[in-house]
Amino acid sequence: MTGIHKTTEKNLMVFSGRAHGALAQEVADALGTHLVPMQAYTFANSEIYVRFDESVRGCDAFVIQSHTAPVNEWIMEHLIMVDALKRGSAKRITVVLPFYGYARQDKKHRGREPISARLMADLFKTAGADRLLAVDLHTAQIQGFFDGPVDHLMALPILSEHVLQNYGDEKLAVVSPDAGRIKVAEWWSNRLGGVPLAFIHKTRDVERPNQSVANRVVGEVEGRTCILVDDMIDSGGTICQAAEALMQDGAKSVVIAATHAIFSGPAIERLSGSVAREVVVTNTLPISEEAHAMEKLTVLSIAPLLSRAIREVFEDGSVTSMFEGRA
């Protein structure tokens, strides 16, 4: 047999952009490794430069970046990091997206609109990504936008465990803030032992972003502690209106549980003054000091979920098994 034969070892390397370094460090610690050191800075004209300080040839690269504000800057840095790894001869590049920027723009509501979530997937593919790993996409269909494997992680196990520990002995109901997320609410219901479901019927003006009107509660919530579940809290208007509608319909109390704490604009003020008993989120996005100061806010770490998923991908295991076959 001709040629040179050598059995090579797989090499997992974790990389982080500058958007949310604390989360990436948590993930690296959980994996028992270190973040690869790199040089990253912004030129005077706002262009971004990135260079890794170690060889990445032949590695299994996991590039973590949360698309927090300023979203476009951190997306661009993420793309540049992927390109640097591709040109540095990384063997496989997995883009880790605790929060997928532009995920809400996943379809056209009116003519002449973009589908920006698809554009994001195309950009990462062009940059050199082999795989995407994301947490709680706004809609599951985004998985089909990327031409390659997509691992869709869910924060449900982490959030629901907190709810069970703190409210498991109360009379519960799971509430979706709109009819479109009722499937996720069903998974929550199963996780909490088959508690009743409800949803908020609301209307939204497509010409006015971040604004909606909660019309009525559909389902039985009277006398129950309502677990109001959503994928993200942006300006807080929708979720606070939903909580108010539940209390007016006779709910005993409301606990808000959401994965992504965007908290833009008046969100913190609205949540602080809301009827919600507790607001439970994860750290897929950086949480400001002002938000941390909010008494009713509880922040759970998503790092254990990300680190386990990364290990499953690296060792050719099963990510789906982490979510009872639903991922």
Side-chain angles (χ1 to χ4, degrees):
M1 187 178 290
T2 58
I4 299 173
H5 299 270
K6 183 178 180 181
T7 302
T8 58
E9 293 184 352
K10 294 173 71 175
N11 178 24
L12 185 155
M13 299 181 81
V14 182
F15 305 82
S16 172
R18 294 174 291 172
H20 194 3
L23 174 60
Q25 187 61 60
E26 275 192 67
V27 173
D29 290 344
L31 287 167
T33 186
H34 300 282
L35 296 175
V36 176
M38 74 172 188
Q39 302 171 43
Y41 52 82
T42 304
F43 289 104
N45 69 343
S46 77
E47 290 180 2
I48 295 169
Y49 171 86
V50 164
R51 181 182 183 274
F52 302 113
D53 293 338
E54 296 180 6
S55 172
V56 300
R57 187 178 301 276
C59 79
D60 204 339
F62 293 85
V63 199
I64 306 173
Q65 179 87 303
S66 283
H67 298 166
T68 185
V71 175
N72 298 328
E73 179 177 344
W74 299 133
I75 288 173
M76 194 65 202
E77 182 177 89
H78 211 176
L79 291 165
I80 290 172
M81 290 172 69
V82 172
D83 185 73
L85 287 166
K86 178 184 176 183
R87 298 178 189 282
S89 301
K91 187 174 183 179
R92 180 171 65 169
I93 303 170
T94 299
V95 170
V96 181
L97 298 151
F99 179 74
Y100 186 114
Y102 288 91
R104 283 175 284 186
Q105 298 184 42
D106 61 307
K107 58 183 176 293
K108 292 173 64 175
H109 295 279
R110 298 178 296 166
R112 301 181 299 282
E113 286 186 342
I115 302 180
S116 304
R118 169 59 194 264
L119 174 61
M120 284 286 300
D122 289 343
L123 287 170
F124 278 110
K125 188 66 177 178
T126 301
D130 299 296
R131 187 184 201 103
L132 299 187
L133 193 156
V135 180
D136 279 335
L137 293 167
H138 189 59
T139 53
Q141 73 189 40
I142 294 174
Q143 296 173 80
F145 292 173
F146 184 76
D147 186 17
V150 177
D151 294 299
H152 186 197
L153 310 184
M154 292 177 283
L156 171 60
I158 294 172
L159 293 168
S160 61
E161 183 63 27
H162 175 85
V163 169
L164 280 171
Q165 287 180 359
N166 291 273
Y167 307 101
D169 57 348
E170 299 182 22
K171 197 176 174 183
L172 300 179
V174 173
V175 183
S176 170
D178 56 56
R181 296 192 65 78
I182 196 68
K183 188 67 178 177
V184 175
E186 287 180 2
W187 294 344
W188 265 90
S189 173
N190 293 335
R191 190 86 179 186
L192 298 179
V195 301
L197 286 171
F199 71 91
I200 309 292
H201 178 266
K202 70 179 183 181
T203 53
R204 185 184 296 276
D205 186 344
V206 296
E207 296 185 3
R208 303 178 72 183
N210 295 107
Q211 292 191 35
S212 64
V213 177
N215 295 325
R216 67 183 185 277
V217 178
V218 180
E220 182 57 50
V221 299
E222 188 172 354
R224 294 182 177 272
T225 297
C226 293
I227 312 301
L228 183 57
V229 299
D230 207 350
D231 64 319
M232 65 178 72
I233 302 175
D234 192 349
S235 61
T238 298
I239 207 79
C240 289
Q241 281 185 30
E244 186 70 39
L246 289 169
M247 293 301 290
Q248 290 176 1
D249 218 48
K252 179 184 175 183
S253 64
V254 177
V255 175
I256 295 171
T259 304
H260 308 298
I262 301 174
F263 290 173
S264 58
I268 296 170
E269 181 182 352
R270 285 173 173 172
L271 290 168
S272 296
S274 74
V275 297
R277 178 175 170 185
E278 184 181 17
V279 180
V280 188
V281 298
T282 74
N283 63 340
T284 56
L285 292 164
I287 309 292
S288 68
E289 291 184 9
E290 182 185 4
H292 272 299
M294 188 167 61
E295 288 186 7
K296 63 178 68 175
L297 182 70
T298 300
V299 182
L300 306 177
S301 178
I302 203 73
L305 185 76
L306 288 172
S307 60
R308 183 180 169 191
I310 287 171
R311 191 173 294 281
E312 291 290 350
V313 171
F314 176 66
E315 296 177 352
D316 298 322
S318 173
V319 174
T320 301
S321 64
M322 297 168 56
F323 306 100
E324 301 170 357
R326 292 197 181 105

